[in-house]
Amino acid sequence: LHLEHEHGAFFLKGRASTLEVFHTEDVEEDTVGKESKPTKKPFFLLHRGQSTEFDVIFKPTLAQRLEGKICVSLGDTYLTLIELVGEGHMDEFTLDGLKEDTQERNAKSSLKKDIIDGKGGEAAKVEQGRGRCLITCPCRRTFTITNRSRTKVMRFEWEADAPFQFSPKVGHLRPRRAKAITVTLKSDVPATFRRHLVKCKVTRINFELPRRKVPDWDDQMSIVTWKDTTRKDLAARWPKKDKVVETAPEPAHTVVEDSSQEAEVYLSAVVAYTKFKLNTIVVQLKDTLPFQTRTATFRMHNTGKVALEYSWVEAADSEAVKKPYSTSLMR
């Protein structure tokens, strides 16, 4: 097989079944003349009724349409078997650190017969997050939102309500910068969330002041000030001050028309109590001589839907039971 393509965007990879039909011949050495015969190229040999599989991988480096083809060599003849068509696409922003939602991607994709057609980057618009959490315990997952444009400033805002909390929920993204986003889920009752849709609205903005004079901003940034109080302390030389923490105001800006985009994130989570089962409640060790060691084994099984975190602690009221033991002299 021969892969013809430009810009190195397509890759051909054999599967396990491919190794079974792959053959090669080593160089044979003439023991008399010490000369080598020409090496035969590696080849695939399929007997009648036999088949094999290959994976075609599309990894574009350019945001444009790319083409290629897979040819087969039968002796000195090249035959074109498959045409490859792919389109590299670059998003201005991406969500990184989440699993690709293959269910949504497959629903939106359409493949023409006998043509492999791919669009790189589309998966960044539909992502999914999964988690298993204990009741009353916060469960957190972190990913990043990245501005991949070279010159544009973007504003993002998560349209999410309880019980899912995004931090930061609103913020600005400078060109070629990224921010970590933390999703927190906390529930006081058992709950199951399956593909809970959360949208993130992203728009391009222009600052009213020169960009170099505008600080970075999101709703988790704060300003600390100290304000005078009316309380009096005769022993103090200066008036007392209270520490005041306020959310930093959002820098003045205007939204660029027709620049709004949306990213969809599907959140799945299970909130439940921990459950476990022991195969015994009493461990009876056989009589053991002093300074010797005896070991017993028991099994603990997690029967719940969430991870079981545990540690062994000796009960405060437990005491070693002392039993008399006999000694006998050897004669």
Side-chain angles (χ1 to χ4, degrees):
L1 293 178
H2 179 65
L3 180 62
E4 297 181 0
H5 59 122
E6 296 181 357
H7 307 294
F10 295 97
F11 300 90
L12 190 62
K13 183 179 180 181
R15 293 192 174 185
S17 60
T18 310
L19 298 177
E20 299 175 2
V21 297
F22 181 75
H23 299 273
T24 182
E25 292 185 3
D26 297 331
V27 176
E28 297 182 359
E29 184 176 326
D30 186 353
T31 57
V32 178
K34 302 298 182 180
E35 295 180 354
S36 298
K37 297 181 180 180
T39 304
K40 188 173 182 179
K41 294 181 179 180
F43 63 95
F44 298 99
L45 178 61
L46 292 177
H47 296 285
R48 182 177 180 181
Q50 195 175 10
S51 64
T52 187
E53 294 179 332
F54 297 89
D55 289 330
V56 179
I57 302 171
F58 180 54
K59 191 175 181 180
T61 56
L62 300 173
Q64 67 180 44
R65 178 186 174 90
L66 299 170
E67 297 181 358
K69 58 184 178 181
I70 298 176
C71 303
V72 62
S73 173
L74 300 177
D76 297 330
T77 305
Y78 275 93
L79 300 177
T80 301
L81 293 182
I82 302 175
E83 294 183 359
L84 305 177
V85 180
E87 182 179 349
H89 177 77
M90 180 179 293
D91 283 324
E92 292 186 339
F93 73 94
T94 58
L95 303 178
D96 306 307
L98 294 175
K99 294 183 179 179
E100 178 184 351
D101 191 344
T102 55
Q103 178 177 342
E104 187 72 12
R105 182 196 65 181
N106 293 337
K108 292 185 177 181
S109 64
S110 59
L111 300 181
K112 295 182 179 179
K113 186 178 181 180
D114 297 333
I115 294 181
I116 300 176
D117 188 1
K119 289 188 177 181
E122 284 295 330
K125 290 298 185 68
V126 183
E127 306 284 346
Q128 63 177 346
R130 298 180 182 274
R132 293 181 178 270
C133 314
L134 298 177
I135 291 178
T136 70
C137 295
C139 182
R140 298 180 177 87
R141 293 292 184 271
T142 301
F143 60 96
T144 57
I145 181 171
T146 305
N147 181 355
R148 300 199 175 273
S149 67
R150 296 179 180 275
T151 58
K152 303 171 184 176
V153 180
M154 297 185 178
R155 181 184 188 272
F156 65 88
E157 181 173 2
W158 292 95
E159 300 174 357
D161 298 320
F164 292 99
Q165 302 294 332
F166 283 72
S167 175
K169 187 176 182 180
V170 186
H172 295 170
L173 270 179
R174 300 298 180 96
R176 298 291 183 176
R177 296 295 179 87
K179 282 195 175 183
I181 306 294
T182 301
V183 187
T184 304
L185 170 62
K186 183 180 180 181
S187 177
D188 296 330
V189 296
T192 300
F193 301 91
R194 299 185 185 278
R195 292 177 58 81
H196 180 82
L197 176 61
V198 177
K199 295 183 178 180
C200 179
K201 183 180 180 180
V202 180
T203 55
R204 286 166 46 198
I205 60 174
N206 293 323
F207 294 122
E208 295 183 1
L209 296 176
R211 188 180 301 179
R212 64 179 182 277
K213 295 184 179 181
V214 180
D216 189 23
W217 179 85
D218 60 58
D219 61 357
Q220 295 301 302
M221 295 182 176
S222 58
I223 297 178
V224 178
T225 57
W226 296 87
K227 294 185 178 181
D228 294 335
T229 64
T230 57
R231 300 193 308 271
K232 295 183 179 180
D233 188 350
L234 299 178
R237 299 178 58 183
W238 295 278
K240 283 193 172 183
K241 294 180 179 291
D242 286 339
K243 181 180 180 181
V244 179
V245 181
E246 299 177 335
T247 301
E250 183 174 6
H253 64 275
T254 57
V255 177
V256 179
E257 294 184 2
D258 300 327
S259 65
S260 179
Q261 303 180 61
E262 276 190 350
E264 295 181 351
V265 175
Y266 290 92
L267 302 176
S268 299
V270 175
V271 184
Y273 291 105
T274 55
K275 297 180 181 180
F276 68 94
K277 181 180 179 181
L278 296 174
N279 65 345
T280 183
I281 59 174
V282 177
V283 177
Q284 182 65 50
L285 295 173
K286 296 181 180 180
D287 293 344
T288 308
L289 295 176
F291 307 108
Q292 289 189 349
T293 301
R294 192 178 295 277
T295 302
T297 302
F298 64 93
R299 184 180 298 275
M300 181 171 63
H301 179 60
N302 182 2
T303 59
K305 298 180 179 180
V306 296
L308 175 64
E309 298 182 5
Y310 65 92
S311 60
W312 297 102
V313 180
E314 185 177 359
D317 57 349
S318 63
E319 292 184 1
V321 179
K322 297 182 179 180
K323 297 175 62 178
Y325 60 91
S326 61
T327 59
S328 60
L329 297 176
M330 297 181 61
R331 296 182 180 178

